[in-house]
Amino acid sequence: MKYLVTGGAGYVGSVVAQHLLEAGHEVTVLDNLSTGFRAGVPAGAAFIEGDIRDAAKWLDPSFDGVLHFAAFSQVGESVVKPEKYWDNNVGGSMALLAAMREAGVRKLVFSSTAATYGEPERTPIPETAPTRPTSPYGASKLAVDHMITGEAHAHGLAAVSLRYFNVAGAYGAYGERHDPESHLIPLVLQVAQGRRDAISVFGDDYPTADGTCVRDYIHVADLAEAHLLAVRAATPGEHLICNLGNGNGFSVRQVIETVREVTGHPIPEVVAPRRGGDPAVLVASADTAREKLGWNPTRADLAGIVADAWEFAQSITREH
Ligand SMILES: NC(=O)c1ccc[n+]([C@@H]2O[C@H](COP(=O)([O-])OP(=O)(O)OC[C@H]3O[C@@H](n4cnc5c(N)ncnc54)[C@H](O)[C@@H]3O)[C@@H](O)[C@H]2O)c1
């Protein structure tokens, strides 16, 4: 099969593109390199340096489907520059859907997010939970989910939205290198590398066992496997929404302690005020992905996730 992977020069897109290639598919990456890296495009994939808003230039009926990762995803930035998120995430996705309709490409897997739920009423969070995003980033992703539902019902698109919780780890030469970095594991690893003096813990008075926020960390390779299952499961006229997480929560302090164990570095920490819009606990119920996709994540061990991320962080530092 031949797939267009938007955002395939970024963290998750590059790992999924590599998995598609390993499964024998043909892959074209479309990425404008706004936050991605040319080196992130797997060898063996065709590369178009371009914007999803211009997808009509390149989409043609030879494609069997699109895996859509291209977006801006910094929650904090979205609060101060909401228009940037509506323009790229919503405007870009609208143009992509129009190009797909025009070219007769009728299968889509979309990167949605736990941020569509906002502050949960209960955990683990099922897909039926209320969607009340607390940032323009989450709102922009939820808007695209709604757009896709309409496209499936009105125009027969076969679609799956995958709502990732906290993606972490690396897969071979492909891993996380956001700039600025906002994700906990790579930030703590920067302390281990001496690139940062200490890790900030935003709030230690949450109603959790050690007072710090609890998140569900999912290995990027487990996540990639869900995408391959999703392209197979997508059904014309239906929009399936699945959470992707392990169903286990780890606190910020547990993550820091695990990084200490993996790297042998003492990792100084500094307690800082809570950030607005950070729920105390975000843990997924991934029962739908298990039932409808047959997904079975196998890399839930936090030390293993951190070890893979650590190996990748060291490899890119050696490159520079
Ligand atoms: N990383 C996570 O923990 C996480 C969690 C939930 C959801 N997501 C979603 O997963 C997707 C991938 O996230 P990531 O962490 O790999 O981010 P990333 O920034 O590493 O990758 C995004 C890629 O999209 C490209 N891009 C952005 N706008 C574009 C445009 N208009 N045209 C073409 N290319 C464009 C960027 O250059 C980049 O390569 C995003 O949609 C994000 O919202 C990520």
Side-chain angles (χ1 to χ4, degrees), residues 104-233:
V105 180
R106 299 284 69 200
K107 189 178 282 198
L108 176 71
V109 177
F110 172 61
S111 304
S112 187
T113 167
T116 54
Y117 296 113
E119 181 80 47
E121 279 166 4
R122 62 187 175 91
T123 58
I125 305 172
E127 293 82 1
T128 49
T131 42
R132 293 179 297 222
T134 51
S135 69
Y137 165 64
S140 72
K141 287 280 169 170
L142 181 61
V144 177
D145 275 341
H146 286 308
M147 217 189 291
I148 293 170
T149 303
E151 188 74 20
H153 294 166
H155 303 302
L157 184 70
V160 180
S161 285
L162 298 174
R163 290 191 171 154
Y164 317 158
F165 281 60
N166 285 51
V167 190
Y171 183 71
Y174 309 104
E176 195 164 11
R177 47 167 122 182
H178 298 120
D179 184 19
E181 187 55 75
S182 64
H183 292 151
L184 180 62
I185 292 175
L187 283 173
V188 188
L189 292 174
Q190 288 181 5
V191 181
Q193 290 183 304
R195 297 167 59 198
R196 204 174 266 279
D197 294 336
I199 187 73
S200 297
V201 175
F202 295 107
D204 65 351
D205 57 351
Y206 284 95
T208 60
D210 66 15
T212 65
C213 286
V214 169
R215 295 291 180 268
D216 186 339
Y217 293 90
I218 175 83
H219 195 292
V220 68
D222 280 337
L223 196 82
E225 284 165 10
H227 289 73
L228 270 72
L229 295 168
V231 282
R232 260 196 263 151

Side-chain angles (χ1 to χ4, degrees), residues 50 80 121 195 214 216 235 273 282 292 297 306:
V80 290
E121 279 166 4
R195 297 167 59 198
V214 169
D216 186 339
T235 306
L282 284 179
K292 304 268 180 175
V306 168

Side-chain angles (χ1 to χ4, degrees), residues 54-67:
D54 301 321
K57 283 190 201 163
W58 306 288
L59 261 181
D60 64 47
S62 71
F63 287 95
D64 295 290
V66 175
L67 292 97

Side-chain angles (χ1 to χ4, degrees), residues 5-14 29-37 48-54 68-74 87-89 92-93 110-115 137 140-141 162-168 175-179 183 218 220 223 227:
V5 176
T6 76
Y11 170 39
V12 182
S14 65
V29 165
L30 171 62
D31 197 302
N32 65 4
L33 302 182
S34 52
T35 61
F37 299 86
I48 299 166
E49 185 174 345
D51 197 290
I52 51 170
R53 296 178 192 84
D54 301 321
H68 178 31
F69 302 90
F72 292 141
S73 57
Q74 301 273 345
D87 178 36
N88 198 37
N89 297 1
S93 298
F110 172 61
S111 304
S112 187
T113 167
Y137 165 64
S140 72
K141 287 280 169 170
L162 298 174
R163 290 191 171 154
Y164 317 158
F165 281 60
N166 285 51
V167 190
E176 195 164 11
R177 47 167 122 182
H178 298 120
D179 184 19
H183 292 151
I218 175 83
V220 68
L223 196 82
H227 289 73

